[in-house]
């Protein structure tokens, strides 16, 4: 799915980062969203919210943590036979801003639910959708700034960015 998304984005001129925070994220979240809708319609709103939050925690902790854990064992040893920890290369600030943005979305989500009496309504849904759109815009802007600082190619080809 990741490979298909990246190649499709390349064919139509969309940067892999944009494909990741939109198409790929939506594609992997639809089953969880449908399960939450079914739970909510069955009168289990708490289960719906727990499913949505729990699946994201699982994606972050296992989806990132487990591959990095395995990489440490696969790439962590040296020729001398002694074990050295493998360091995953990450650019300065490459994780800090997205993590802060994620934390901000959690704060906004909990805040709006508390302000609205812990009731999921059309207003809350619209608010959360707006927060997601802002997240995508900010994430793409952040990645564009990071790319410019590193001297990498722009997010969109010239004919699409004008």
């Amino acid at each position: 799915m990741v490979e298909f998304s990246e190649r499709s984005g390349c064919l139509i001129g969309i940067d892999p980062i944009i494909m990741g925070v939109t198409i790929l994220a939506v594609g992997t979240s639809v089953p969880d969203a449908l399960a939450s809708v079914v739970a909510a319609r069955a009168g289990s709103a708490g289960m719906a919210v727990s499913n949505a939050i729990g699946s994201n925690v699982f994606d972050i902790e296992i989806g990132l943590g487990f591959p990095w854990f395995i990489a440490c064992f696969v790439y962590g040893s040296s020729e001398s036979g002694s074990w050295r920890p493998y360091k995953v290369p990450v650019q300065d600030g490459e994780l800090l801003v997205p993590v802060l943005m994620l934390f901000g979305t959690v704060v906004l989500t909990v805040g709006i639910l508390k302000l609205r009496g812990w009731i999921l309504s059309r207003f809350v849904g619209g608010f959360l959708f707006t927060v997601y759109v802002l997240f995508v815009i900010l994430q793409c802007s952040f990645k564009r700034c990071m790319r410019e600082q590193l001297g990498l190619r722009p997010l969109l080809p010239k004919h699409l960015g004008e």
Side-chain angles (χ1 to χ4, degrees):
M1 186 173 193
V2 173
E3 184 75 21
F4 176 76
S5 175
E6 186 174 350
R7 287 178 185 239
S8 299
C10 182
L11 287 174
I12 58 177
I14 299 176
D15 191 89
I17 294 165
I18 295 172
M19 292 297 285
V21 298
T22 56
I23 306 302
L24 196 57
V26 169
T28 58
S29 298
V30 167
D32 295 326
L34 293 176
S36 291
V37 168
V38 169
R41 286 192 174 176
S44 301
M47 184 182 289
V49 172
S50 295
N51 175 49
I53 293 171
S55 68
N56 285 299
V57 169
F58 180 86
D59 290 346
I60 292 168
E61 304 303 329
I62 302 300
L64 289 175
F66 189 68
W68 285 359
F69 177 76
I70 295 299
C72 288
F73 284 104
V74 172
Y75 301 112
S77 61
S78 66
E79 293 84 28
S80 65
S82 63
W83 188 82
R84 289 187 326 208
Y86 175 71
K87 296 180 181 175
V88 178
V90 177
Q91 296 291 332
D92 287 342
E94 194 173 23
L95 285 179
L96 179 62
V97 172
V99 167
L100 291 175
M101 289 168 57
L102 177 63
F103 181 72
T105 60
V106 170
V107 169
L108 288 172
T109 300
V110 171
I112 192 67
L113 287 171
K114 182 163 176 49
L115 286 172
R116 300 298 287 196
W118 300 101
I119 296 174
L120 297 172
S121 63
R122 184 173 291 165
F123 176 82
V124 172
F127 178 82
L128 295 176
F129 180 76
T130 303
V131 168
Y132 176 72
V133 170
L134 290 173
F135 168 80
V136 170
I137 291 168
L138 290 172
Q139 183 69 13
C140 291
S141 298
F142 169 71
K143 290 298 181 181
R144 174 171 281 144
C145 290
M146 287 292 291
R147 286 176 175 273
E148 287 173 1
Q149 286 177 354
L150 296 172
L152 301 174
R153 67 178 177 77
L155 285 173
L156 293 174
K158 285 185 179 180
H159 70 281
L160 293 175
E162 296 173 348

